[in-house]
């Protein structure tokens, strides 16, 4: 993916600091500019630059100059960048506040990794492409009340958006047939037979939604999407049942028209569990799996690697069909 890098500089009030922000920002192209020049309070000089970096990062450079006769309080940790829907993005660095004395100047460098698309982030963990505009309230500098607005140059942003569209993730959700009472009833009957229980009172009802498969106290939160030539599956398993579960990641398969695909990479394996590959009551597990398979209209999730321990029986009676949103 092409990385769009940009810098801007603005001198406000009396500030003899030419070249300092330009030295910090080594951009080859101009993408972000100030949408308008803010009206700063007298005695405050500011040069500012915003540029982008790999990995969805944004870098903010500030050169602050106090031209007044009293100290200026600065709290960089409160320099929140706002997205288009006004969600504040905190800086990655936890910089302590300080007082800038009369005639002093100070460079501040802050990094951000904003959540640009909240829906996409909630479904996939991806933060989405850079937005065309960000805002920076200046309330972290003394008593300033103005806000800086950074705008991506329209033609450059159009080219960036077209390029990003070619690598847009494709989201999947469970098919409508899964999210029926009939499907849940089949699962409940399977559990009764498997555990030898004739009544349904001892088992919590099963239900299947766009984000969760719930079965007798076992909750499986899922996310499936395609990106480039791979499929990405995220699972978050919570065992609130009075049973033990066995997890074998390489036996969690995806099936498309091209065939059955085993995971080729384990992205993450974070857990709160007492035994390896076994989830005791109260344990939780989060894992991400990558499959070498291009996007398809539908994908079948086969959870053979998720079963009851030590019965060696699958947790779910059926496979689950996912379709593109």
């Amino acid at each position: 993916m092409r990385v769009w890098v940009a810098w801007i500089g603005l001198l406000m009030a009396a500030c003899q600091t030419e070249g300092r922000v330009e030295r910090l920002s080594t951009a080859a192209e101009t993408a972000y500019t100030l949408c308008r020049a803010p009206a700063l309070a007298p005695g405050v000089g500011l040069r500012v630059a915003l540029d982008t970096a790999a990995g969805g990062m944004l870098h903010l450079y500030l050169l602050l100059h106090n031209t007044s006769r009293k100290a200026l309080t600065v709290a960089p940790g409160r320099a929140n960048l706002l997205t288009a829907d006004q969600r504040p993005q905190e800086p990655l660095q936890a910089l302590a506040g300080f007082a800038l004395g009369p005639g002093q100047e100070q460079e501040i460098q802050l990094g951000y990794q904003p959540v640009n698309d909240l829906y996409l982030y909630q479904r996939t963990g991806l933060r989405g492409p850079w937005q065309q505009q960000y805002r920076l309230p200046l309330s972290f500098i003394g008593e300033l009340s103005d806000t800086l607005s950074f705008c991506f140059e329209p033609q450059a942003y159009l080219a960036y958006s077209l390029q990003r569209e070619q690598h847009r993730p494709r989201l999947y959700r469970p098919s409508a047939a899964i999210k029926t009472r009939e499907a849940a009833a089949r699962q409940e009957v399977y559990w009764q037979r498997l555990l030898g229980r004739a009544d349904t009172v001892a088992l919590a009802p099963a239900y299947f939604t766009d984000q969760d498969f719930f079965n007798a106290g076992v909750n499986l939160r899922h996310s499936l999407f395609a990106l480039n030539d791979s499929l990405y599956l995220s699972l978050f398993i919570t065992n609130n049942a009075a049973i033990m579960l066995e997890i074998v990641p390489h036996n969690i398969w995806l099936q498309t028209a091209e065939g059955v695909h085993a995971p080729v990479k384990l992205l993450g394996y974070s857990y709160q569990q007492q035994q390896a590959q076994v989830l005791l009551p109260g344990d939780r597990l989060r894992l991400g799996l990558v499959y070498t398979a291009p996007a398809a209209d539908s994908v079948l999730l086969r959870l053979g690697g998720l079963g009851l321990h030590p019965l060696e029986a699958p947790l779910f009676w059926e496979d689950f069909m996912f379709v593109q949103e």
Side-chain angles (χ1 to χ4, degrees):
M1 183 189 79
R2 181 179 183 182
V3 178
W4 290 84
V5 183
W7 69 268
I8 62 170
L10 178 66
L11 179 62
M12 294 166 285
C15 183
Q16 302 300 321
T17 54
E18 289 296 332
R20 297 292 296 279
V21 172
E22 287 85 345
R23 178 177 59 81
L24 292 174
S25 183
T26 57
E29 299 180 59
T30 299
Y32 281 103
T33 58
L34 282 178
C35 303
R36 64 175 180 84
L40 290 185
V44 178
L46 178 66
R47 291 187 67 87
V48 59
L50 180 69
D51 56 8
T52 60
M57 291 286 295
L58 287 172
H59 289 162
L60 178 68
Y61 307 94
L62 297 166
L63 181 58
L64 189 61
H65 188 197
N66 184 4
T67 61
S68 71
R69 296 182 179 181
K70 61 179 182 179
L72 183 67
T73 59
V74 184
R78 294 194 293 109
N80 293 333
L81 203 64
L82 300 181
T83 55
D85 57 359
Q86 302 300 309
R87 283 181 293 105
Q89 311 294 311
E90 296 182 353
L92 300 177
Q93 299 88 342
L95 298 182
F98 61 91
L100 192 64
Q104 292 182 339
E105 66 179 27
Q106 178 68 43
E107 288 182 355
I108 303 172
Q109 301 184 38
L110 297 172
Y112 301 85
Q113 196 168 27
V115 177
N116 300 306
D117 186 328
L118 184 58
Y119 179 75
L120 182 68
Y121 182 72
Q122 291 173 336
R123 295 292 306 276
T124 68
L126 301 175
R127 296 174 179 267
W130 291 306
Q131 295 187 351
Q132 191 167 6
Q133 181 175 339
Y134 295 95
R135 300 172 65 244
L136 178 69
L138 296 177
S139 54
F140 68 96
I141 302 174
E143 299 179 355
L144 298 184
S145 59
D146 211 332
T147 298
L148 296 180
S149 295
F150 299 97
C151 296
F152 209 123
E153 194 278 320
Q155 290 301 317
Y157 190 75
L158 176 61
Y160 166 70
S161 300
L162 292 175
Q163 190 273 340
R164 279 300 300 251
E165 183 65 21
Q166 299 176 5
H167 302 278
R168 179 177 59 87
R170 302 183 184 182
L171 306 181
Y172 291 83
R173 66 172 67 247
S175 67
I178 296 174
K179 298 171 291 185
T180 62
R181 185 55 202 157
E182 290 75 15
R186 289 194 297 269
Q187 179 63 32
E188 292 169 2
V189 171
Y190 167 66
W191 266 72
Q192 292 166 14
R193 294 174 178 173
L194 186 66
L195 301 180
R197 299 176 181 177
D199 61 297
T200 60
V201 177
L203 295 176
Y207 64 84
F208 306 134
T209 71
D210 283 340
Q211 294 184 320
D212 296 272
F213 297 156
F214 185 85
N215 184 28
V218 179
N219 189 67
L220 177 65
R221 175 149 290 195
H222 50 75
S223 173
L224 177 64
F225 66 94
L227 184 61
N228 299 330
D229 291 325
S230 297
L231 293 171
Y232 294 80
L233 176 66
S234 175
L235 299 174
F236 181 41
I237 307 166
T238 302
N239 184 12
N240 289 324
I243 58 173
M244 293 188 293
L245 302 177
E246 186 171 11
I247 313 296
V248 184
H250 65 263
N251 284 341
I252 298 176
W253 299 340
L254 296 179
Q255 182 173 341
T256 67
E258 296 184 351
V260 177
H261 310 275
V264 297
K265 187 177 181 181
L266 185 64
L267 275 185
Y269 195 91
S270 61
Y271 54 87
Q272 292 181 358
Q273 61 187 114
Q274 304 170 51
Q275 298 182 29
Q277 290 192 327
V278 175
L279 291 184
L280 300 178
D283 285 350
R284 292 179 291 175
L285 170 69
R286 184 188 302 274
L287 72 157
L289 302 169
V290 184
Y291 303 78
T292 302
D297 292 337
S298 60
V299 177
L300 189 69
L301 172 60
R302 304 177 62 179
L303 289 169
L306 176 58
L308 278 68
H309 181 80
L311 298 180
E312 297 185 355
L315 176 63
F316 294 102
W317 171 248
E318 300 176 87
D319 298 329
F320 298 102
M321 181 65 71
F322 283 71
V323 295
Q324 279 199 43
E325 293 188 4

